[in-house]
């Protein structure tokens, strides 16, 4: 009779422990829960440099990683989150009218805007109306647009701004459809958040898909473009 309560006493903590573990698993925080409590922060050069170093850190030496880094002079002030897209572009590019007028080169753009999706690209194109004036803007994403069509448009006409995803931009550069020699500004849609409050680098599928390609474009900029090339990066 003395053994029976002992058996009952031993079995109860095991059940409680098991239920506690299950409860903990169910209560695992999602990234959207964490971001909801965090204040938005403007992107800074170190954000991009750190992601680049983390991505290539395992396969490259310390010296090679150092060679991938850009100086702070290559970065423009980030959007402090008080500007609209047009007002931000006006601030970082006050001589846009002159640049637009002087741009005559085909297969190239003066300003390249990189974002996470085709829908976001369309939003940015609409929101830059006050800035772009009468310049020509080219959509650089894959949704409903074939790459050959974009290559033909770049070859036959002069475009001033390209807005699209890193995947399509990389493909165009690699296939010699888009030349970067005339590009003066590369804008990264860094601060925008989706319905779940996630930025580009907070979404796993974007981080490993789109940002991987962004790194490749970043490398192409460093390797293929002449040393005299004066591109400026910024975080919108």
């Amino acid at each position: 009779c003395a053994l029976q309560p002992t058996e009952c006493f031993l079995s109860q903590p095991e059940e409680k422990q098991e239920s506690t573990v299950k409860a903990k698993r169910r209560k695992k925080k999602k990234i959207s829960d964490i971001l909801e409590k965090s204040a938005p922060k403007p992107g800074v050069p170190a954000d991009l440099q750190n992601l680049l170093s983390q991505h290539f850190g395992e396969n490259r030496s310390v010296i090679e990683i150092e060679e991938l880094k850009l100086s702070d002079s290559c970065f423009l002030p980030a959007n402090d989150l008080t500007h609209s897209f047009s007002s931000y572009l006006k601030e970082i590019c006050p001589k846009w009218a002159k640049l637009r007028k002087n741009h005559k080169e085909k297969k190239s753009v003066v300003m390249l805007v990189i974002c996470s999706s085709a829908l976001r690209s369309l939003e940015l194109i609409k929101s830059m109306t006050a800035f772009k004036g009468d310049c020509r803007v080219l959509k650089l994403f894959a949704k409903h647009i074939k790459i050959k069509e974009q290559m033909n448009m770049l070859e036959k006409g002069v475009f001033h701004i390209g807005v699209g995803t890193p995947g399509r931009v990389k493909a165009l550069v690699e296939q010699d459809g888009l030349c970067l020699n005339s590009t003066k500004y590369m804008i990264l849609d860094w601060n925008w958040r989706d319905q779940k409050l996630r930025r580009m680098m907070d979404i796993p599928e974007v981080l490993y898909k789109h940002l991987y390609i962004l790194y490749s474009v970043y490398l192409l900029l460093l390797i293929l473009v002449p040393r005299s090339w004066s591109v400026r990066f910024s975080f919108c």
Side-chain angles (χ1 to χ4, degrees):
C1 293
L3 294 175
Q4 188 172 358
T6 303
E7 292 176 355
C8 294
F9 175 77
L10 290 174
S11 62
Q12 287 177 353
E14 291 177 358
E15 292 176 357
K16 287 183 179 179
Q17 185 177 4
E18 185 179 353
S19 62
T20 303
V21 172
K22 289 181 179 179
K24 286 182 179 179
R25 288 176 181 172
R26 286 197 298 269
K27 292 181 180 179
K28 185 178 179 181
K29 288 186 178 180
K30 297 180 180 179
I31 190 168
S32 55
D33 297 329
I34 297 172
L35 290 169
E36 188 175 7
K37 297 177 182 179
S38 64
K41 294 181 180 179
V44 294
D47 292 333
L48 182 60
Q49 305 280 29
N50 290 338
L51 281 175
L52 187 65
S53 297
Q54 291 172 13
H55 181 76
F56 290 108
E58 296 181 359
N59 302 320
R60 294 176 182 265
S61 66
V62 175
I63 296 177
E64 288 175 325
I65 292 297
E66 285 297 321
E67 290 176 348
L68 292 178
K69 290 185 178 180
L70 293 172
S71 65
D72 289 343
S73 62
C74 292
F75 293 87
L76 292 163
N79 188 347
D80 61 5
L81 308 183
T82 63
H83 283 282
S84 66
F85 190 41
S86 277
S87 66
Y88 173 64
L89 293 179
K90 286 180 180 180
E91 181 174 283
I92 64 171
C93 187
K95 297 182 180 180
W96 174 247
K98 183 178 180 180
L99 287 172
R100 179 186 68 199
K101 183 178 179 181
N102 294 336
H103 179 60
K104 306 294 183 182
E105 187 176 344
K106 296 179 180 180
K107 295 177 63 177
S108 185
V109 294
V110 179
M111 181 177 291
L112 186 60
V113 183
I114 302 290
C115 51
S116 59
S117 69
L119 290 177
R120 178 58 180 165
S121 298
L122 294 174
E123 289 178 9
L124 289 176
I125 291 172
K126 290 180 181 178
S127 65
M128 66 166 63
T129 302
F131 167 78
K132 68 183 181 67
D134 60 355
C135 75
R136 300 185 70 189
V137 180
L138 184 61
K139 303 170 186 175
L140 300 176
F141 50 77
K143 190 173 185 180
H144 306 311
I145 307 176
K146 294 181 179 180
I147 190 169
K148 287 187 177 180
E149 180 182 345
Q150 291 166 333
M151 292 175 70
N152 288 335
M153 293 176 70
L154 282 163
E155 188 173 357
K156 295 177 181 178
V158 175
F159 290 87
H160 305 85
I161 302 176
V163 184
T165 58
R168 180 48 60 92
V169 171
K170 174 179 180 288
L172 285 166
V173 171
E174 288 182 333
Q175 296 183 38
D176 197 30
L178 176 64
C179 177
L180 301 172
N181 288 342
S182 296
T183 304
K184 301 295 181 184
Y185 295 87
M186 184 171 180
I187 314 296
L188 307 180
D189 188 29
W190 196 266
N191 296 317
W192 179 77
R193 296 176 181 243
D194 63 12
Q195 293 180 347
K196 296 182 179 179
L197 304 177
R198 300 175 302 178
R199 299 172 301 171
M200 287 176 64
M201 75 295 299
D202 298 320
I203 307 171
E205 58 268 27
V206 172
L207 180 63
Y208 295 107
K209 266 184 171 180
H210 297 290
L211 285 188
Y212 172 82
I213 301 169
L214 174 58
Y215 298 147
S216 300
V217 173
Y218 183 90
L219 287 177
L220 286 169
L221 296 178
L222 291 172
I223 296 170
L224 299 181
V225 177
R227 292 291 180 181
S228 60
W229 186 58
S230 56
V231 68
R232 306 293 294 279
F233 289 82
S234 65
F235 301 88
C236 67

